[in-house]
Amino acid sequence: MAEWQDLLHQTQDLVAQDFHSFPQVERNITQLQQYAETLRARTNKFRTLNNQIAATRLLAQQGFDASRLTQEVTSLEIQPTIEDVFHADTTSVEDYLKQVEESTILAAISEAQNATVSAFESYMEDCMARDWAANKRQLFGLIAPHSGGGISSSSLQGGAAMPGVIIGAPASRESMPGAAALQLPPSEQAYVDVIRKANQAALANNQTFDLVKEFRDSCKTADDKRGGVGGGESSMRGCWALLADILAEAQARGATAVQGAKFVEALATGARKHLERGHATHMRTTVSRHKLAAERGADPDQLREVQAYIQVKLGGSGRGVLDFQQAGGVDTSWVQVFYCLRNGWYDAARRAADRAHDMALARFGEGGFRGVLDEWLRGGGRVGDKTAAHLARACETLMRDKASLKSQVRHPYMVLVLALLAGDARAADALTATLTQLQLPSVLATIEDYMWCKLTLFLASQSGAGGASTPGSSPLGGGFGASSIISGGSPLPPYGLAEFHADINRWPPSYYSKQGKEPLLYATVLLLSLQFQACLRFLWRDEATRGLRVDAVHLAIACHQEGLLGVAAPGAEAAPDVGSMIHAYGRKFVHHDSALALQYYMLAAHVRGNSVAVKGQLLRELLTESRDYGTLLGGGSGGALAGYVPDPEERKRLYEAVAYECQVAAQPEEAVELYLAADRPRQALAILCQQLSALMPRAAEEAATGVDATGAVEALRRVMLRGRDARSRVGLDAQGLGSRREVEAFDQLCAVWELLLASRKGRHELALQKLAELAFVPLERGRVEHCVRVAQGALHPTVQDRLQDVLAAAADTIAALKAGASRDRLFTLRNQLDALCGYANSAAFRVPKHVYQKLCETAAGLS
C-alpha cells in the first residue's frame, strides 16, 4: 500500500506542475480496448509457450518422449462397448437378448427402407433420363428429318396419281453464283440424277420411262447397302426391287389406280409372285448346298427340285424313307403340293396333286383334289361357293384329328393347303395356334411364308376371276367374296385389306426389324402387305430410320406417281403429306442449286394439285430465298421454269400471279423480275417508281456526305437501271394512258433526283436548271394555277410524294444564289420564289408546313 501511496503523491505532483511541456497521448475507449487485447494476446502467446517448455522439461526428467507421446494420444480411438449401444435395463439374460434382437431387427428394417428409397429414386432418375433422351431424339427426328428441312405433319394424302409421267424439265447443274457446291453422297446423287432423267423423259413425252425401276437400278449402281447385306431385302435396293415386282403385275394387266379393286388385286398378286420367286431361289440354294443329302442330279424337273428340298429338310429327322425315294415310304404328297404352290410352280403342283388323296376329300368326286386345284388355278386363286364350303368342312374335320397332326408329316400341310384354296383365314390361324399348342414345328416357319399365306388368303377372298368388282366385295373393306359363303352354313369371315393389315400390325415394328437394328426389314413387310402409307410414315418419322429420310422422299414420289398412296384400308392412319416431304427436301438445294430445287418444288406442286396458285406460292418462295432470277426466269427463253410450264402464255400468267403476290407481300424486287419475265413492263415500272421515290431523300443525303451508310445510293442506282430497262420495254410511244403515265413519272423522278443531287452538292446553277425542266413546278406566276391543277389531279402519286423535297431544294438553291447576284438576277429569283410560294400555298395539302415556312423565310430574305 505504501508503494501505491507514493505513486499517487508523485502523480499529484506532476499534475500540479506545468504539464504543457510533456507530450500528450490521446486515445479513445475503442483504441484503448484494441491495444489492451493486443497486449493480452501477446502475453498469452508467451505464457503458452513457456508452459509447453516447462511440461516438456518435466516429462523428459521422468523419461518420457513428448513428441512420441503426442502421436500416441492422437492415434487413440474411443470405441463404444455393447453396453453403450444396447443399454441393459434388466439383469435377465433372456430379456437382454430379446432387447438386442429387437434393436437389430429395427436397425435392419430402417437400413432396408433407406436402401429401397435410394434405389427407387435412382431408378426413377434413370427412367427420366431415358425418356428424355428418347423424346429428344424423336423431337430432333421430327424437326430435322434429313439435312435441315422441316417436316409438315399435316394429313394431306397423296391420293391417286395423276396420269402421265412426272412433270419436269431438264435443269443445269451449274451452281449459283457465290454459293458453295453441295457434295451429295453417291446414293443421294443417284436419286437426284434419276429425277433429272424423269424430267427429261416428261419433256420428251416418253411414256415408257419407269421411275421405280430407274430408282432400283440407281441404287444398284451406287451400291447403296445400308441396314443389311448388300442386295438383300434389308437394303434399299431390295425395297426398290420389291416395289418394282409389285407394280410389274399391275403393269402387265394394264391395271391403274382408278380401277380400284382390280389394281389392288394386281398389286397383291405381284407381291405374292415376288415371295414365290424368292422362295424358289432359296430352295435351289439349299439343294446346291446339300447335294449329297438331296441326291439331286442335273434333272431340270421342278417337282424333282421340290422333292430334293424336302429330302434335305426331312431326311435327317429320323422319319425314315420318304415316298418318292421308295414305295411305301413316308407320305409327302401334300408337302410337295404346298412347296410347289409356295414356289408358284403350278404345273408341278398338278402332278403332285395326282398323288394327294384323303378320305376327307371323297366328296369331291372322281376329280379328287386335282380337280379342286384345277378349279382354283382357273379361277385365278379362287374356287366356287360349293367347293369352298366342302374345303372349309374338310379343314374343320382334319383339325379335330390331333393324333394325325402329331404323327403324320403330311397332315399339317394338307390342312393349310385346303385352307388356302378355300380362302379360310380362320382355319389357317387355327392350324398355327394348334401346332404351337402341341409344340410342333409350324408350317409357316418364316415371315416370308406367313406373308405369302396371308396374300394368298387375301386374293382368294376377292370376288370374281380376274378381279372384277361386285357390290359388297371391295378389297379395301374386306367384303364377302365369291368363295366366302358356305352352302347351308355360316359365311366365312371376310379377309380384306383391313383384316390383312390387322394381322400384320399385331406386332410392333421392333418385332420385324430385329429390335430396330434393321428397319428396312419392317419397311419390306409393309410394302409386301400393301401398306404404302404406313411405310412412308415409318421411314419419314421413326427415330430408327433417320438415315433413310432421303429414301423416304423419293419413295413417296414413286408411290404418288404410281397411285399407290390411294391403297389403304378404311380407318387407316393418314399418310404423311407427300407434298411437304418433297418441299422440305427441295429446300436443301435452294442456296446451292436453284434449278435442282425448282425440280423438287414443282414436284411438290404437282402432288398438291398442280394449280397455278400452288406453283406460284412455291415459285415465290424459291425466288425470295435463292434470288437466282437469271437461272429460274431466264431471259426470253423462260429459264429453268420453261420446262415445267412450256406454254409461254400460261407461263406469263403464272409469272404475273406470283408477281402480284410478291407485290402484296412487300417483295418489290421479286415482283419486278416476275413482271418483266411476264412481259408486263408497265407494272414493273410502277413498282420501280415507288422504290425510286422512297429512296430519294436518304440517297440524296448520303450522296452529299459521300458516305453510303445505309446503301441507299447503290440501291437507287440499281432501281434506276432496272427502271430504264422497263421503260425501254414499254417504249417511247407507249400505248394506253397507264403506260404513258408510268413512263412520264419515271422521267420526272429521274429529273427530281438530278435536282436533289445537284442541290445537296452545292451545284445550284445546275439545280435551278433542273428545276425549270420540271413541268409541274411553276417558276412564273402565270403558270401557278395550271401547275396546281396538275399537282392535284394528273401528277403521279410517286412524284407528288417528292414535291416537298423539290420545293425545299428550290428554296435552298434560290437562297444560295442570292449572294453576289445582280439586281436583275435578284429580281428574277424573287419572282420565281413568289411563284413557288403561291404554288405551295395553293397546293397546301401536298406541302408540309415546315417547307412552306422555309419558302416564306427565303422570300423574306430577298425582300
Side-chain angles (χ1 to χ4, degrees):
M1 290 298 294
E3 294 179 358
W4 282 103
Q5 290 296 331
D6 294 339
L7 287 174
L8 180 60
H9 290 310
Q10 292 177 7
T11 303
Q12 289 176 353
D13 293 341
L14 289 174
V15 172
Q17 296 177 7
D18 184 8
F19 59 87
H20 294 289
S21 60
F22 295 96
Q24 296 181 1
V25 179
E26 294 182 356
R27 288 192 178 95
N28 54 26
I29 299 299
T30 304
Q31 293 174 337
L32 289 173
Q33 184 179 1
Q34 293 177 352
Y35 185 66
E37 291 177 354
T38 304
L39 292 176
R40 185 182 301 112
R42 190 179 303 170
T43 304
N44 292 338
K45 178 179 179 180
F46 289 113
R47 184 179 302 168
T48 303
L49 183 59
N50 293 332
N51 293 339
Q52 290 180 352
I53 295 174
T56 304
R57 186 183 300 112
L58 179 60
L59 291 173
Q61 292 175 357
Q62 299 296 328
F64 293 99
D65 187 354
S67 59
R68 183 177 179 182
L69 182 62
T70 303
Q71 294 177 359
E72 294 293 338
V73 171
T74 56
S75 63
L76 291 177
E77 181 181 357
I78 301 176
Q79 296 182 353
T81 62
I82 192 170
E83 289 81 5
D84 297 328
V85 179
F86 300 107
H87 181 67
D89 294 332
T90 178
T91 57
S92 174
V93 176
E94 290 79 4
D95 294 340
Y96 176 74
L97 293 177
K98 183 177 181 182
Q99 181 181 356
V100 171
E101 181 183 7
E102 291 176 354
S103 301
T104 305
I105 293 174
L106 291 176
I109 293 174
S110 177
E111 291 178 1
Q113 288 178 342
N114 294 334
T116 302
V117 171
S118 177
F120 177 75
E121 291 178 351
S122 177
Y123 173 75
M124 293 303 297
E125 289 179 358
D126 294 341
C127 290
M128 291 178 64
R130 286 196 303 269
D131 293 344
W132 164 241
N135 293 336
K136 183 171 65 174
R137 288 194 301 269
Q138 184 178 8
L139 178 62
F140 287 165
L142 291 175
I143 65 177
H146 40 84
S147 58
I151 299 177
S152 173
S153 58
S154 59
S155 60
L156 177 63
Q157 299 187 27
M162 303 177 68
V165 259
I166 290 183
I167 60 169
S172 65
R173 284 295 307 276
E174 297 179 0
S175 300
M176 297 171 54
L182 184 63
Q183 299 294 330
L184 299 177
S187 58
E188 188 173 357
Q189 185 62 54
Y191 281 135
V192 171
D193 293 340
V194 170
I195 292 296
R196 286 198 179 94
K197 291 171 61 178
N199 292 329
Q200 294 173 357
L203 188 63
N205 198 22
N206 182 7
Q207 300 294 332
T208 62
F209 186 83
D210 194 325
L211 183 64
V212 175
K213 290 182 180 178
E214 289 293 333
F215 279 141
R216 179 197 62 189
D217 296 340
S218 68
C219 283
K220 185 183 300 183
T221 303
D223 198 22
D224 185 11
K225 301 176 181 179
R226 289 171 295 176
V229 181
E233 290 185 355
S234 59
S235 69
M236 201 63 211
R237 190 203 317 177
C239 291
W240 285 115
L242 168 59
L243 189 60
D245 289 344
I246 292 175
L247 289 168
E249 186 67 21
Q251 294 169 354
R253 297 184 182 184
T256 59
V258 296
Q259 294 176 318
K262 185 177 180 181
F263 181 64
V264 175
E265 181 183 352
L267 295 178
T269 303
R272 188 180 68 177
K273 287 184 176 181
H274 174 84
L275 291 173
E276 290 171 350
R277 286 191 293 269
H279 192 270
T281 302
H282 163 71
M283 180 176 291
R284 294 190 181 98
T285 303
T286 303
V287 171
S288 63
R289 288 177 180 174
H290 304 82
K291 292 182 179 180
L292 294 179
E295 299 178 1
R296 182 78 171 101
D299 187 2
D301 186 15
Q302 292 178 339
L303 183 58
R304 183 68 191 93
E305 192 84 24
V306 170
Q307 292 173 351
Y309 177 74
I310 296 174
Q311 186 170 341
V312 172
K313 188 174 182 180
L314 301 180
S317 60
R319 297 181 180 273
V321 181
L322 306 181
D323 57 348
F324 53 81
Q325 294 177 312
Q326 180 179 337
V330 177
D331 186 4
T332 61
S333 57
W334 288 97
V335 183
Q336 297 177 43
V337 171
F338 171 77
Y339 281 115
C340 287
L341 294 177
R342 179 67 180 85
N343 290 349
W345 296 344
Y346 299 130
D347 292 337
R350 288 189 178 97
R351 292 164 51 197
D354 290 333
R355 296 192 295 270
H357 303 287
D358 192 86
M359 293 298 298
L361 303 179
R363 68 186 67 185
F364 292 112
E366 296 181 359
F369 176 68
R370 169 65 183 269
V372 175
L373 181 61
D374 289 339
E375 180 183 354
W376 185 78
L377 294 174
R378 287 193 305 270
R382 306 168 188 83
V383 294
D385 298 345
K386 185 177 180 180
T387 305
H390 292 327
L391 289 173
R393 292 197 186 97
C395 287
E396 186 177 353
T397 302
L398 292 171
M399 284 294 297
R400 295 193 187 102
D401 191 359
K402 300 293 192 301
S404 297
L405 286 174
K406 291 182 179 180
S407 60
Q408 298 182 12
V409 175
R410 70 180 189 127
H411 204 83
Y413 291 91
M414 179 169 57
V415 175
L416 182 58
V417 168
L418 297 181
L420 292 174
L421 268 59
D424 190 355
R426 289 183 305 183
D429 292 339
L431 174 64
T432 302
T434 302
L435 292 177
T436 302
Q437 183 180 4
L438 296 176
Q439 297 182 352
L440 296 175
S442 176
V443 177
L444 306 174
T446 64
I447 185 60
E448 289 84 358
D449 294 338
Y450 181 79
M451 295 295 299
W452 176 84
C453 174
K454 293 300 180 180
L455 284 167
T456 304
L457 292 171
F458 169 72
L459 290 170
S461 296
Q462 309 310 307
S463 70
S469 171
T470 60
S473 62
S474 170
L476 303 182
F480 295 108
S483 62
S484 61
I485 302 295
I486 300 179
S487 302
S490 61
L492 290 176
Y495 197 75
L497 210 58
E499 291 75 23
F500 182 21
H501 293 172
D503 282 344
I504 300 301
N505 296 332
R506 283 188 295 174
W507 296 278
S510 59
Y511 174 80
Y512 299 100
S513 61
K514 299 181 181 179
Q515 303 301 320
K517 296 178 181 179
E518 295 190 33
L520 285 177
L521 288 178
Y522 182 56
T524 301
V525 171
L526 294 176
L527 291 176
L528 283 171
S529 58
L530 310 185
Q531 299 186 73
F532 304 106
Q533 295 184 2
C535 182
L536 290 183
R537 189 164 54 248
F538 172 70
L539 293 176
W540 184 247
R541 296 177 182 172
D542 197 271
E543 176 62 25
T545 59
R546 287 195 66 183
L548 301 171
R549 300 294 194 247
V550 175
D551 302 285
V553 171
H554 294 87
L555 183 63
I557 294 174
C559 288
H560 178 269
Q561 178 67 21
E562 300 295 341
L564 299 179
L565 297 180
V567 180
E573 185 179 353
D577 184 356
V578 176
S580 296
M581 291 171 62
I582 302 172
H583 178 216
Y585 180 70
R587 288 176 61 87
K588 176 179 181 177
F589 306 101
V590 168
H591 301 291
H592 302 277
D593 191 344
S594 60
L596 180 57
L598 180 65
Q599 295 189 50
Y600 286 97
Y601 272 50
M602 291 298 102
L603 282 175
H606 180 70
V607 171
R608 293 175 176 176
N610 209 30
S611 65
V612 175
V614 174
K615 288 191 288 188
Q617 179 185 1
L618 293 176
L619 178 60
R620 170 190 160 194
E621 177 187 325
L622 182 56
L623 285 172
T624 302
E625 295 191 14
S626 69
R627 307 183 71 83
D628 190 10
Y629 307 117
T631 301
L632 298 175
L633 304 180
S637 61
L641 191 64
Y644 300 94
V645 188
D647 185 13
E649 294 302 322
E650 182 182 356
R651 190 164 62 248
K652 289 180 180 180
R653 289 194 297 269
L654 175 62
Y655 288 156
E656 191 171 3
V658 179
Y660 177 76
E661 294 294 334
C662 291
Q663 186 176 359
V664 172
Q667 296 173 326
E669 294 185 14
E670 291 81 0
V672 167
E673 297 295 335
L674 286 165
Y675 275 131
L676 292 176
D679 198 18
R680 297 292 186 269
R682 181 180 68 82
Q683 289 84 344
L685 191 58
I687 298 175
L688 291 168
C689 288
Q690 294 176 0
Q691 289 183 282
L692 190 59
S693 177
L695 287 170
M696 274 187 188
R698 190 170 67 252
E701 191 71 29
E702 294 181 358
T705 60
V707 179
D708 192 8
T710 62
V713 177
E714 184 63 29
L716 186 135
R717 290 173 182 169
R718 290 197 306 268
V719 171
M720 293 186 70
L721 182 63
R722 298 301 289 155
R724 292 189 183 97
D725 182 23
R727 189 192 184 288
S728 64
R729 296 192 186 189
V730 174
L732 297 177
D733 301 328
Q735 300 295 327
L737 178 62
S739 298
R740 289 196 299 272
R741 192 182 185 204
E742 297 299 338
V743 170
E744 292 174 358
F746 181 76
D747 294 339
Q748 290 170 348
L749 287 171
C750 290
V752 170
W753 166 247
E754 293 176 357
L755 165 65
L756 297 179
L757 190 61
S759 176
R760 294 297 174 86
K761 289 187 175 182
R763 302 166 62 184
H764 298 296
E765 291 292 345
L766 179 60
L768 188 61
Q769 180 182 351
K770 295 297 180 182
L771 184 64
E773 295 177 3
L774 298 177
F776 58 90
V777 178
L779 294 180
E780 301 174 359
R781 293 182 180 179
R783 298 186 64 250
V784 172
E785 294 184 2
H786 170 72
C787 291
V788 168
R789 288 194 300 270
V790 171
Q792 292 178 346
L795 196 61
H796 196 278
T798 58
V799 182
Q800 289 179 0
D801 293 339
R802 301 278 66 82
L803 187 58
Q804 56 178 328
D805 299 320
V806 170
L807 295 177
D812 294 337
T813 298
I814 293 175
L817 289 175
K818 75 176 182 178
S822 62
R823 181 179 299 178
D824 294 338
R825 183 66 183 277
L826 287 175
F827 179 76
T828 302
L829 293 176
R830 187 180 298 111
N831 289 336
Q832 292 175 346
L833 192 57
D834 290 341
L836 292 174
C837 289
Y839 177 68
N841 187 29
S842 301
F845 66 95
R846 294 294 180 190
V847 181
K849 184 177 180 180
H850 70 278
V851 175
Y852 182 71
Q853 290 177 350
K854 188 174 186 179
L855 288 170
C856 294
E857 291 173 357
T858 304
L862 291 175
S863 301

